[in-house]
Amino acid sequence: MKRRRCVAVVAAAVAAVSLLGSAPAPASTAEVAARPTAAQVVPADVRQAREYYPDVDYITCEINKERTVQGLSPLLVSDRASEVGRGHARDMAGMKRLTSVGSDGRGLRDRLNDAGIYSNLVQEFMFSGYNHDGHFADMATDPTPENGFYKALMSRDVVAWGVGYDRLYWDVNLLGYHRKLGARAAACSRTAG
């Protein structure tokens, strides 16, 4: 799968900065068969994107392998930040473009504050085109110099992340430490897949 587009936006970057404040499904399979339309002819990659949802724990565990090699503590998962990311990914998919500002005019810091997520560091990365856990994990752990996402993930200041996905649009929120930051360890039981 080719990487189609990537945009990285740093919403707030240092601890010194003060903390600031779909279409309905058919009723039955029989109805679908009885009413074939052009809308039902969906390209395979779009069908796969609709059916796919990333395994955030698996991807986090793959990133944590690299963080361990770098002498860093494991990256935690913020389920609340993932909810915020899912909402923004859905919004971007609806707008059909990568953008840090949502259709409601709010940026990342506003979305996180509204969800009660506080962090001394916030970074947002947006991607379009990945629909496979292994491909995304491979990109995230690629240490090539031009990979700013890898550099951010390997920062000591980043302690947790939230991952949102909708129809090939990804919104990834990286978070620094805050005493009220709710995050959990990733469940690392899945093997490569």
Side-chain angles (χ1 to χ4, degrees):
M1 160 108 334
K2 292 181 186 174
R3 187 176 349 177
R4 295 190 184 144
R5 290 184 275 167
C6 168
V7 175
V9 177
V10 177
V14 293
V17 174
S18 63
L19 189 61
L20 301 174
S22 302
S28 70
T29 309
E31 275 188 59
V32 172
R35 296 180 291 146
T37 66
Q40 291 172 0
V41 181
V42 179
D45 62 337
V46 173
R47 275 196 314 274
Q48 184 179 6
R50 287 181 183 164
E51 295 166 3
Y52 167 77
Y53 197 84
D55 182 339
V56 175
D57 286 302
Y58 169 76
I59 296 169
T60 304
C61 294
E62 293 300 302
I63 291 167
N64 283 340
K65 290 176 186 176
E66 182 68 17
R67 283 179 64 97
T68 299
V69 168
Q70 300 298 325
L72 300 168
S73 60
L75 186 66
L76 301 173
V77 177
S78 169
D79 292 324
R80 186 173 280 175
S82 291
E83 289 172 21
V84 170
R86 269 191 298 278
H88 188 60
R90 188 176 313 113
D91 193 28
M92 289 190 299
M95 293 186 288
K96 295 182 175 31
R97 65 185 173 103
L98 295 171
T99 176
S100 184
V101 178
S103 61
D104 60 2
R106 294 181 313 145
L108 175 63
R109 184 60 82 171
D110 293 327
R111 290 189 296 272
L112 293 175
N113 285 347
D114 290 350
I117 300 171
Y118 306 102
S119 175
N120 69 352
L121 170 126
V122 173
Q123 293 179 324
E124 180 177 41
F125 287 82
M126 293 156 283
F127 304 92
S128 176
Y130 293 96
N131 62 357
H132 186 278
D133 297 339
H135 291 216
F136 191 86
D138 186 52
M139 177 275 301
T141 58
D142 179 1
T144 56
E146 62 275 1
N147 188 352
F149 186 48
Y150 172 84
K151 290 177 189 174
L153 287 169
M154 296 305 130
S155 168
R156 290 189 188 286
D157 296 329
V158 173
V159 299
W161 77 332
V163 178
Y165 174 87
D166 192 279
R167 294 170 281 169
L168 296 177
Y169 286 85
W170 296 71
D171 185 51
V172 179
N173 303 314
L174 304 183
L175 306 167
Y177 173 79
H178 188 277
R179 64 184 177 82
K180 292 184 178 181
L181 178 64
R184 64 175 175 81
C188 296
S189 60
R190 179 178 151 188
T191 57

